[in-house]
Structure formats: structure tokens, C-alpha cells
């Protein structure tokens, strides 16, 4: 028992290690090319849903973000029609075509509404890597999740939980609740100023003031 208690205390006191921003601070990209996200979820809406949300947090963080429609059209004119093909393009080629300082690669791990007897939720999980197109170094990587179940009360007994789960499942499936949840995930993933998140860009008044944020 003492060992179990010690283990619990140890895990409870664990802290997230600060991110190493050395390469990021040396690079300081000003423009970011966002590639259409890879979709590892069973929902075909995931790529376009997440892609529609990612420009705003990056722009508000102080970066120039290449318009996603322009990027998509450029890839299509070069014969590339799905995200997997676009992610396979060499970094040098992306630099030659778009002239961006960095490229952002996003993978959607979870997207959609699930129903599990006494609970139902819409959850979106995505991870991202920011790569310098000039040096080909990884500048930053991170992951984020958001769920419609955050903050819900579990009161009401078993019957209440069953009814609540059923209602949420119907409402969230018919209204594509995962789409606004993807917006929350994108903001958590790509808005600067968050612990271990991306740094502020040159168009932000907070530029060059971050990078030492502790969790």
C-alpha cells in the first residue's frame, strides 16, 4: 500500500517539461504554409473541417498564412488531389513553389461523435509539426484535444445519464457538433501564448517576448 500511495503522489506531482525552442528562436519564421491535414479518423469531413479553422489562430499569433484555397488549387494544378500526396512533396519543392518560411503538417487523430451507452461526445484530436523550409529542421510539434463533454455534469443517476447520452448523441450527430469542436482544438493547438505552444510571429506585439512560458 505505501508503494501505491508513493506512486500516486509521484504521478500527481509530475510536471510537463518545457519545450526546447532553440531551433524555433533561431529560425523565427514569418510566413507559414498549412498543408491540408491528414485524416486518420473514419469521418470524411475531418480534413476540410479542421483546415477551415487553422488559419485564424496562426494569423492572430502574428504570422502570414498562405490562403488555403490558393494552396489547394496550386496542388491540384500540379496533379496532387489528396493530403497524403501533398505531404509527400519535398520541403525544397514546397519552398520553390510557395516561398514560405515554414510548413505546418497536421494529422487529425480523432474526429466525430461517439456513443457509449451512458456517455456521448464529439471529440477532435489533432497533432501538428512546424518545419522550417529553409533548413528542414523541426521547429515545433504539439497535440491538442477538445470534447463536447467538457464541463458536463454527471448528476441525475443512471437513467439520467442514459437519457442525456442519447439526447447528446442525436443532437450532436444531426448538427455536426464536431465542426465547432474542431475550432476549439485548432485554437488550443495553434494559438501562441499557450504552454509549450507555438511562439508569437513578427506581426504580433508579443513577438520575441515568449518562449520561456512554463506549463
Amino acid at each position: 500500500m505505501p508503494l501505491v500511495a508513493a506512486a500516486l503522489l509521484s504521478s500527481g506531482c509530475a510536471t510537463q517539461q518545457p519545450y526546447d525552442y532553440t531551433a524555433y528562436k533561431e529560425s523565427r519564421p514569418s510566413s507559414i504554409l498549412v498543408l491540408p491535414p491528414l485524416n486518420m479518423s473514419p469521418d470524411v469531413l475531418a480534413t476540410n473541417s479542421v483546415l477551415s479553422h487553422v488559419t485564424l489562430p496562426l494569423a492572430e499569433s502574428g504570422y502570414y498564412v498562405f490562403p488555403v484555397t490558393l494552396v489547394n488549387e496550386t496542388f491540384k494544378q500540379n496533379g496532387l488531389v489528396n493530403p497524403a500526396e501533398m505531404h509527400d512533396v519535398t520541403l525544397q519543392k514546397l519552398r520553390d513553389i510557395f516561398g514560405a518560411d515554414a510548413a505546418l503538417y497536421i494529422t487529425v487523430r480523432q474526429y466525430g461523435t461517439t456513443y457509449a451507452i451512458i456517455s456521448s461526445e464529439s471529440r477532435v484530436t489533432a497533432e501538428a509539426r512546424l518545419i522550417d523550409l529553409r533548413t528542414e529542421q523541426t521547429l515545433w510539434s504539439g497535440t491538442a484535444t477538445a470534447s463536447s463533454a467538457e464541463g458536463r455534469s454527471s448528476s441525475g443517476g443512471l437513467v439520467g445519464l442514459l437519457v442525456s447520452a442519447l439526447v447528446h448523441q442525436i443532437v450532436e450527430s444531426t448538427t455536426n457538433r464536431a465542426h465547432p469542436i474542431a475550432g476549439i482544438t485548432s485554437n488550443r493547438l495553434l494559438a501562441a501564448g499557450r504552454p509549450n505552444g507555438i511562439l508569437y510571429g513578427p506581426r504580433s506585439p508579443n513577438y520575441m517576448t515568449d518562449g520561456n512560458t512554463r506549463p
Side-chain angles (χ1 to χ4, degrees):
M1 182 62 109
L3 291 176
V4 174
L8 291 173
L9 286 172
S10 176
S11 61
C13 296
T15 58
Q16 189 179 7
Q17 291 298 314
Y19 197 87
D20 183 358
Y21 288 104
T22 302
Y24 203 145
K25 289 181 175 179
E26 290 176 352
S27 171
R28 290 290 182 184
S30 61
S31 60
I32 295 178
L33 171 70
V34 180
L35 278 70
L38 287 175
N39 178 22
M40 306 304 287
S41 82
D43 195 318
V44 296
L45 300 176
T47 290
N48 288 336
S49 175
V50 173
L51 183 61
S52 71
H53 288 294
V54 295
T55 298
L56 181 60
L58 289 172
E60 290 184 338
S61 296
Y63 294 96
Y64 172 75
V65 184
F66 285 74
V68 294
T69 52
L70 171 66
V71 173
N72 261 334
E73 189 59 31
T74 302
F75 278 125
K76 287 179 181 177
Q77 289 181 2
N78 285 275
L80 305 179
V81 295
N82 64 67
E85 294 174 328
M86 299 171 191
H87 282 227
D88 283 341
V89 176
T90 65
L91 299 177
Q92 182 61 54
K93 195 69 173 178
L94 292 177
R95 173 73 175 167
D96 291 344
I97 294 174
F98 295 99
D101 294 335
L104 186 70
Y105 294 80
I106 301 172
T107 299
V108 181
R109 294 293 178 186
Q110 290 179 292
Y111 184 99
T113 301
T114 58
Y115 177 64
I117 308 300
I118 60 171
S119 65
S120 178
E121 66 167 341
S122 296
R123 175 179 290 267
V124 178
T125 299
E127 59 189 35
R129 293 180 298 123
L130 185 64
I131 309 295
D132 191 313
L133 292 181
R134 300 159 298 188
T135 65
E136 302 193 357
Q137 281 190 299
T138 298
L139 304 181
W140 170 85
S141 64
T143 183
T145 295
S147 167
S148 61
E150 294 174 14
R152 281 184 195 163
S153 171
S154 59
S155 61
L158 180 59
V159 174
L161 290 174
L162 289 170
V163 172
S164 176
L166 181 59
V167 170
H168 280 114
Q169 195 269 337
I170 294 172
V171 172
E172 296 189 14
S173 296
T174 55
T175 61
N176 189 19
R177 178 68 173 143
H179 181 63
I181 296 299
I184 299 173
T185 299
S186 299
N187 193 65
R188 290 175 178 175
L189 182 64
L190 301 172
R194 303 182 68 85
N196 288 353
I198 70 166
L199 303 182
Y200 287 103
R203 293 172 176 79
S204 169
N206 295 315
Y207 184 54
M208 303 284 284
T209 65
D210 54 1
N212 295 312
T213 307
R214 293 294 187 269

